Amino acid sequence: MRLSIEQVAAIRREVSLTAGDSARVWLFGSRVLDDARGGDIDLLLELDESVAEPAQLSARLAARVSRCLYGRKVDVLVQAPNLLRLPIHAIARAEGVRL
């Protein structure tokens, strides 16, 4: 995984502040691969509660994490009981690393 301990802590802190302590976050995509280079940060945010405005939550979390990581591009997928589950959610969970 190509994130430092400090970066992981920053992501977890922002997830907790934005989505609550029960939210879980997974890193997936190229940042999971130790031999890859570059790439944005792809996160899967898992929630146990329904979310009324998932796009707004995703954008808000991506912006907060990006600021903590000096402008690095961040993409956030949201998975919640009231949202359609897509194949990308399964891929993120299967290939990702829980932070």
Side-chain angles (χ1 to χ4, degrees):
M1 176 175 69
R2 293 180 299 119
L3 289 179
S4 69
I5 293 169
E6 294 80 14
Q7 289 172 319
V8 170
I11 292 168
R12 291 176 68 179
R13 181 184 66 246
E14 295 304 327
V15 165
S16 180
L17 290 171
T18 305
D21 292 333
S22 64
R24 295 168 305 281
V25 64
W26 298 77
L27 174 71
F28 69 100
S30 63
R31 286 279 163 172
V32 174
L33 306 173
D34 290 331
D35 57 344
R37 294 179 44 171
D40 61 353
I41 295 174
D42 298 306
L43 301 174
L44 170 64
L45 178 65
E46 289 184 321
L47 304 169
D48 293 328
E49 303 290 327
S50 295
V51 59
E53 298 175 339
Q56 190 174 42
L57 175 62
S58 175
R60 188 170 48 249
L61 180 58
R64 291 181 68 127
V65 171
S66 181
R67 277 193 301 272
C68 288
L69 302 181
Y70 307 104
R72 171 91 37 206
K73 185 175 181 314
V74 178
D75 293 322
V76 178
L77 289 175
V78 177
Q79 182 176 317
N82 65 316
L83 301 177
L84 181 64
R85 196 165 184 161
L86 301 170
I88 188 65
H89 292 103
I91 292 168
R93 190 76 194 278
E95 297 177 4
V97 174
R98 186 169 176 185
L99 301 182

